[in-house]
Amino acid sequence: MGLSKTIWTTPSEYLRIQQPDAPVMFFSPAVLQATARRFIDGFPGFVTYAVKSNPDEIVIENLAAAGVQGFDVASPAEMRLIRRIAPSAAMHYNNPVRARSEILTAVELGVASYSVDSRSELAKLIALVPAQGTEISVRFKLPVAGAAYNFGAKFGATVELAAELLATVADAGFVPSLTFHPGTQCTEPSAWDAYIRAAAEIAAMAGVKIARLNVGGGFPSHRLNEIEPQLEAIFRLIDTVAAEAFGSDRPALVCEPGRGLCAGAFSLASRVKAVRDDEHVFLNDGVYGAFAELPLIGIIDRTEVISPDGVKRGGETVERIVFGPTCDSVDRLPGVVALPGDMQEEDYVLFHGMGAYSIATNTRFNGFGELSVATVLKLKG
């Protein structure tokens, strides 16, 4: 996947001049850096970026340039990426299950913050990681509310186990902290309320004053026209509830947005291969490509249709079933997509908010999956 050296004004300009037959991801550094500043200025604590959501080097470089000084890494490959591009940045290794070889690599690369959600994995860390100055955050889970899907199905200790683990962390001489993940695409601020109050209860049960509370990711991106995320409201609630729940023992706060930071900085252009019997739309990208996560959390309806000469289609919208290019029958976008009735074969459908879990999960299944990245000054207009 290549990044164009030319900086284009808009996606429409690029599409009109280049006429690409393969999908193109349009990247706006200005949007990414503005979003980063929104988190840094608004969140009442330390902002880290979940690298897994989009590990492209241009993303890491622009986030570092905007002032992001911490990165949530899940593998040695991500650690090495950060050490190369942002060598002085803090790395939080918050994938709570690790091979011993991965832990040793993290120690070698200077990781000083880990998460854990089980007795067996905590024993590994105690045996392999130097305690002096090293943070271990116990990850806990609660029943899900207001999220697109449940992270607690795979990770997170119960409240009771979390208290036990936290006490063990403190007794072993590590810096004791807590962490949670409220779930993906949390548009309801109250999702953080219950978790923060539970964290205070866990600390009290363990008899431990925690150094930091990582309130996770889950910060939503703008996916649907009718639901625009209210990040500042979430930031205010986190600040207020942390003060109420912990009082004078309030810990420092950390967050680890992935989607909320990077999604809005990218828009995907996929070309129309066919409009079958004026009913089904076939695109040159699908769920084995940049749309991989849509079947999991739902459609993105922030779309525009651009003609080959760069003109936006404006016909009355028609709800259509949209398929990807492969010969697999599951290669279909979820639900239906409202698209202009005057759209035609070889038009481009532009999906906004596509920067998360798209480039990283794109495959070459069935011979498709070619994807380039073009830099633009702005994503609309």
Side-chain angles (χ1 to χ4, degrees), residues 352-363:
H352 297 292
M354 286 290 295
Y357 304 99
S358 51
I359 292 175
T361 55
N362 183 62
T363 77

Side-chain angles (χ1 to χ4, degrees), residues 143-149 180-196 215 217-221 223-224 227-238 241:
V144 173
Y149 60 81
F180 62 83
H181 196 301
T184 288
Q185 196 65 17
C186 281
T187 55
E188 178 51 58
S190 63
W192 280 269
D193 187 305
Y195 269 99
I196 294 170
V215 301
F219 297 92
S221 63
R223 299 176 65 87
L224 302 177
I227 304 176
E228 185 165 356
Q230 303 299 314
L231 290 177
E232 282 71 23
I234 296 172
F235 298 154
R236 287 193 297 271
L237 180 138
I238 289 171
V241 176

Side-chain angles (χ1 to χ4, degrees), residues 106-310:
V107 172
E108 179 185 349
L109 293 175
V111 173
S113 179
Y114 301 77
S115 73
V116 71
D117 64 359
S118 64
R119 300 180 186 94
S120 57
E121 290 300 306
L122 178 54
K124 282 186 192 178
L125 291 180
I126 291 174
L128 298 173
V129 176
Q132 183 64 37
T134 300
E135 175 184 59
I136 295 183
S137 293
V138 175
R139 179 167 174 169
F140 67 97
K141 63 183 177 182
L142 297 176
V144 173
Y149 60 81
N150 180 11
F151 269 71
K154 184 175 183 181
F155 298 122
T158 63
V159 167
E160 294 74 19
L161 177 57
E164 175 193 325
L165 296 174
L166 185 62
T168 303
V169 168
D171 289 343
F174 292 87
V175 177
S177 295
L178 287 169
T179 184
F180 62 83
H181 196 301
T184 288
Q185 196 65 17
C186 281
T187 55
E188 178 51 58
S190 63
W192 280 269
D193 187 305
Y195 269 99
I196 294 170
R197 296 187 191 280
E201 293 175 6
I202 291 168
M205 290 169 60
V208 173
K209 181 178 179 179
I210 62 172
R212 295 201 293 189
L213 175 62
N214 186 329
V215 301
F219 297 92
S221 63
H222 190 190
R223 299 176 65 87
L224 302 177
N225 284 306
E226 294 184 357
I227 304 176
E228 185 165 356
Q230 303 299 314
L231 290 177
E232 282 71 23
I234 296 172
F235 298 154
R236 287 193 297 271
L237 180 138
I238 289 171
D239 191 26
T240 298
V241 176
E244 291 176 356
F246 285 93
S248 60
D249 287 338
R250 171 176 169 152
L253 298 176
V254 180
C255 68
E256 52 184 51
R259 180 191 318 280
L261 267 176
C262 69
F266 290 79
S267 297
L268 175 70
S270 183
R271 197 162 205 180
V272 177
K273 296 182 64 172
V275 182
R276 186 171 66 181
D277 294 340
D278 200 32
E279 182 178 3
H280 302 148
V281 174
F282 282 71
L283 300 178
N284 65 356
D285 201 358
V287 302
Y288 290 97
F291 294 106
E293 77 152 8
L294 265 61
L296 295 174
I297 66 172
I299 195 65
I300 290 177
D301 69 3
R302 297 176 57 226
T303 62
E304 295 179 82
V305 176
I306 310 293
S307 71
D309 57 1

Side-chain angles (χ1 to χ4, degrees), residues 8-64:
W8 303 84
T9 304
T10 62
S12 295
E13 179 191 46
Y14 178 97
L15 296 172
R16 175 176 55 82
I17 295 173
Q18 298 296 106
Q19 299 281 304
D21 277 327
V24 179
M25 193 71 81
F26 292 100
F27 168 58
S28 170
V31 171
L32 181 62
Q33 293 200 29
T35 306
R37 292 307 316 175
R38 187 179 179 186
F39 271 88
I40 293 168
D41 294 341
F43 179 75
F46 186 54
V47 177
T48 70
Y49 172 63
V51 176
K52 65 180 181 179
S53 58
N54 189 328
D56 200 292
E57 292 189 8
I58 57 173
V59 172
I60 307 303
E61 290 168 353
N62 276 274
L63 289 175

